[in-house]
Coordinates of all heavy atoms in Angstrom, one line a residue:
Chain Q
D74 N 44.2 -116.7 -156.2 CA 43.1 -117.6 -155.7 C 42.5 -118.5 -157.0 O 41.5 -118.9 -156.9 CB 42.0 -116.9 -155.1 CG 41.2 -117.8 -154.3 OD1 41.7 -118.8 -153.7 OD2 39.9 -117.6 -154.1
S93 N 47.9 -121.7 -151.6 CA 47.6 -120.4 -152.2 C 47.7 -119.3 -151.1 O 47.0 -119.5 -150.1 CB 46.2 -120.3 -152.8 OG 45.8 -119.0 -153.1
G95 N 46.6 -116.2 -151.8 CA 45.7 -115.1 -152.3 C 46.2 -114.4 -153.5 O 46.9 -115.0 -154.3
T96 N 45.7 -113.2 -153.6 CA 46.0 -112.4 -154.8 C 47.4 -111.9 -154.8 O 48.0 -111.7 -153.7 CB 45.1 -111.2 -154.9 OG1 45.2 -110.3 -153.9 CG2 43.6 -111.7 -155.0
K98 N 48.0 -108.8 -155.8 CA 47.9 -107.4 -155.3 C 47.8 -107.4 -153.7 O 48.5 -106.5 -153.2 CB 46.5 -106.9 -155.8 CG 46.5 -106.3 -157.2 CD 45.2 -105.7 -157.5 CE 45.2 -105.4 -159.0 NZ 43.8 -105.1 -159.5
T99 N 47.1 -108.2 -153.1 CA 47.0 -108.2 -151.6 C 47.2 -109.6 -151.1 O 46.3 -110.2 -150.6 CB 45.7 -107.6 -151.1 OG1 44.6 -108.4 -151.7 CG2 45.5 -106.2 -151.5
P100 N 48.4 -110.1 -151.2 CA 48.6 -111.4 -150.7 C 48.3 -111.5 -149.2 O 48.5 -110.5 -148.5 CB 50.1 -111.7 -150.9 CG 50.7 -110.3 -151.1 CD 49.7 -109.5 -151.7
N101 N 47.8 -112.6 -148.8 CA 47.4 -112.8 -147.4 C 48.6 -113.0 -146.4 O 49.2 -114.1 -146.4 CB 46.4 -114.0 -147.2 CG 45.6 -114.0 -145.9 OD1 46.3 -113.9 -144.9 ND2 44.4 -113.9 -146.0
E103 N 48.8 -113.3 -143.2 CA 48.6 -114.2 -142.2 C 49.0 -115.6 -142.7 O 49.6 -116.5 -142.0 CB 47.2 -114.2 -141.6 CG 46.8 -112.9 -141.0 CD 45.5 -113.1 -140.2 OE1 44.8 -114.2 -140.3 OE2 45.1 -112.1 -139.6
I104 N 48.5 -115.9 -143.9 CA 48.8 -117.3 -144.5 C 50.2 -117.4 -144.8 O 50.9 -118.5 -144.5 CB 47.9 -117.5 -145.7 CG1 46.4 -117.6 -145.4 CG2 48.3 -118.8 -146.4 CD1 45.5 -117.8 -146.5
A106 N 52.7 -116.0 -143.2 CA 53.4 -116.2 -141.9 C 53.1 -117.6 -141.4 O 54.0 -118.2 -140.8 CB 52.8 -115.2 -140.9
S107 N 51.9 -118.1 -141.6 CA 51.6 -119.5 -141.1 C 52.5 -120.6 -141.8 O 52.6 -121.7 -141.3 CB 50.1 -119.8 -141.2 OG 49.8 -120.1 -142.6
S118 N 56.9 -103.4 -157.8 CA 55.9 -102.4 -157.8 C 54.7 -102.8 -157.0 O 54.0 -102.0 -156.4 CB 55.4 -102.0 -159.2 OG 55.2 -103.2 -160.0
Q129 N 59.3 -108.8 -141.7 CA 59.1 -109.3 -140.3 C 58.7 -110.8 -140.3 O 58.9 -111.5 -139.3 CB 57.9 -108.5 -139.7 CG 58.2 -107.0 -139.4 CD 57.0 -106.3 -139.0 OE1 55.9 -106.7 -139.1 NE2 57.3 -105.0 -138.4
I130 N 58.2 -111.3 -141.5 CA 57.8 -112.6 -141.5 C 59.0 -113.5 -141.9 O 59.3 -114.5 -141.2 CB 56.7 -112.9 -142.6 CG1 55.5 -112.0 -142.2 CG2 56.3 -114.3 -142.6 CD1 54.4 -112.0 -143.2
L139 N 57.1 -107.3 -163.5 CA 56.0 -106.8 -164.4 C 56.4 -106.0 -165.6 O 55.7 -105.9 -166.6 CB 55.0 -106.0 -163.6 CG 54.2 -106.8 -162.6 CD1 53.4 -105.9 -161.7 CD2 53.3 -107.8 -163.3
Y230 N 54.9 -98.9 -167.5 CA 53.8 -99.9 -167.6 C 52.8 -99.5 -168.6 O 52.3 -100.3 -169.5 CB 53.2 -100.2 -166.2 CG 52.3 -101.3 -166.1 CD1 52.8 -102.6 -165.8 CD2 50.9 -101.2 -166.3 CE1 51.9 -103.7 -165.7 CE2 50.1 -102.3 -166.2 CZ 50.5 -103.5 -165.9 OH 49.7 -104.6 -165.9
Chain N
A37 N 42.2 -115.7 -141.6 CA 42.6 -116.7 -142.5 C 43.1 -118.0 -141.8 O 42.8 -119.1 -142.2 CB 43.6 -116.2 -143.5
I38 N 43.8 -117.8 -140.7 CA 44.3 -118.8 -139.8 C 43.6 -118.8 -138.5 O 44.0 -117.9 -137.6 CB 45.8 -118.7 -139.7 CG1 46.5 -118.5 -141.0 CG2 46.4 -119.9 -138.9 CD1 46.6 -119.8 -141.8
F59 N 53.7 -113.3 -135.4 CA 53.4 -112.3 -136.4 C 51.9 -112.1 -136.5 O 51.5 -110.9 -136.5 CB 54.0 -112.7 -137.8 CG 53.7 -111.8 -138.9 CD1 54.4 -110.7 -139.1 CD2 52.5 -112.0 -139.7 CE1 54.0 -109.7 -140.1 CE2 52.1 -111.1 -140.7 CZ 52.9 -110.0 -140.9
I60 N 51.2 -113.2 -136.6 CA 49.7 -113.0 -136.9 C 49.1 -112.3 -135.8 O 48.3 -111.3 -136.0 CB 49.1 -114.4 -137.1 CG1 49.6 -115.1 -138.3 CG2 47.5 -114.3 -137.1 CD1 49.1 -116.5 -138.6
Q63 N 51.8 -108.7 -134.8 CA 52.2 -107.7 -135.8 C 51.0 -107.5 -136.9 O 51.1 -106.5 -137.6 CB 53.4 -108.3 -136.7 CG 54.6 -108.5 -135.8 CD 55.2 -107.3 -135.2 OE1 55.1 -106.2 -135.7 NE2 55.7 -107.4 -133.9
S64 N 50.1 -108.4 -136.9 CA 48.9 -108.1 -137.9 C 47.7 -107.8 -137.2 O 47.2 -106.7 -137.3 CB 48.8 -109.4 -138.7 OG 47.8 -109.2 -139.6
R65 N 47.1 -108.8 -136.4 CA 45.7 -108.6 -135.9 C 45.6 -107.5 -134.8 O 44.7 -106.7 -134.9 CB 45.2 -110.0 -135.4 CG 44.9 -110.9 -136.6 CD 44.4 -112.3 -136.0 NE 44.4 -113.2 -137.2 CZ 44.1 -114.5 -137.1 NH1 43.8 -115.0 -135.9 NH2 44.1 -115.3 -138.1
T177 N 48.3 -95.9 -164.6 CA 47.6 -97.2 -164.8 C 48.4 -98.4 -164.3 O 47.8 -99.5 -164.2 CB 47.2 -97.4 -166.3 OG1 48.4 -97.3 -167.0 CG2 46.1 -96.5 -166.8
G178 N 49.6 -98.2 -164.1 CA 50.5 -99.3 -163.8 C 50.2 -100.1 -162.5 O 49.3 -99.7 -161.7
P179 N 51.0 -101.1 -162.2 CA 50.8 -101.8 -161.0 C 51.1 -101.0 -159.8 O 50.6 -101.3 -158.6 CB 51.7 -103.0 -161.1 CG 52.8 -102.6 -162.0 CD 52.0 -101.7 -163.0
I186 N 43.6 -100.2 -153.7 CA 43.0 -101.0 -152.6 C 42.8 -100.0 -151.4 O 41.8 -100.2 -150.7 CB 44.1 -102.0 -152.2 CG1 44.3 -103.0 -153.4 CG2 43.7 -102.8 -150.9 CD1 45.7 -103.6 -153.4
W193 N 44.6 -103.8 -145.1 CA 45.5 -104.8 -145.5 C 46.9 -104.2 -145.4 O 47.2 -103.1 -145.7 CB 45.3 -105.2 -147.0 CG 46.4 -106.2 -147.4 CD1 46.5 -107.4 -147.2 CD2 47.4 -105.8 -148.3 NE1 47.5 -107.9 -147.8 CE2 48.2 -107.0 -148.5 CE3 47.8 -104.6 -149.0 CZ2 49.2 -107.0 -149.3 CZ3 49.0 -104.6 -149.7 CH2 49.7 -105.8 -149.9
G194 N 47.8 -105.0 -144.8 CA 49.2 -104.6 -144.6 C 49.5 -103.5 -143.6 O 50.6 -103.0 -143.5
R305 N 38.5 -110.3 -142.9 CA 39.6 -111.2 -142.9 C 39.2 -112.6 -142.8 O 39.9 -113.5 -143.3 CB 40.5 -110.9 -141.7 CG 41.3 -109.6 -141.8 CD 42.4 -109.6 -140.6 NE 41.8 -109.3 -139.3 CZ 41.7 -110.1 -138.3 NH1 42.1 -111.3 -138.4 NH2 41.1 -109.7 -137.2
R308 N 36.4 -115.2 -146.4 CA 36.8 -116.0 -147.5 C 38.3 -116.0 -147.8 O 38.7 -115.5 -148.8 CB 36.0 -115.6 -148.8 CG 36.0 -116.7 -149.8 CD 35.7 -116.2 -151.2 NE 36.0 -117.0 -152.3 CZ 37.2 -117.6 -152.5 NH1 38.2 -117.4 -151.6 NH2 37.5 -118.3 -153.5
P310 N 41.8 -117.4 -149.0 CA 42.9 -116.4 -148.7 C 42.6 -115.0 -149.2 O 43.5 -114.1 -149.0 CB 44.1 -117.0 -149.6 CG 43.4 -117.6 -150.8 CD 42.1 -118.2 -150.2
L311 N 41.4 -114.7 -149.7 CA 41.1 -113.3 -150.1 C 40.8 -112.5 -148.8 O 40.2 -113.0 -147.9 CB 40.0 -113.3 -151.1 CG 40.2 -114.1 -152.4 CD1 39.0 -113.9 -153.3 CD2 41.5 -113.8 -153.0

Side-chain angles (χ1 to χ4, degrees):
Chain Q
D74 199 33
S93 166
T96 61
K98 278 182 188 168
T99 56
N101 194 304
E103 295 190 357
I104 294 180
S107 75
S118 46
Q129 291 171 347
I130 301 173
L139 290 172
Y230 190 88
Chain N
I38 308 289
F59 175 83
I60 295 177
Q63 303 298 328
S64 178
R65 291 181 187 175
T177 53
I186 296 152
W193 174 77
R305 284 192 286 111
R308 201 199 160 305
L311 305 183

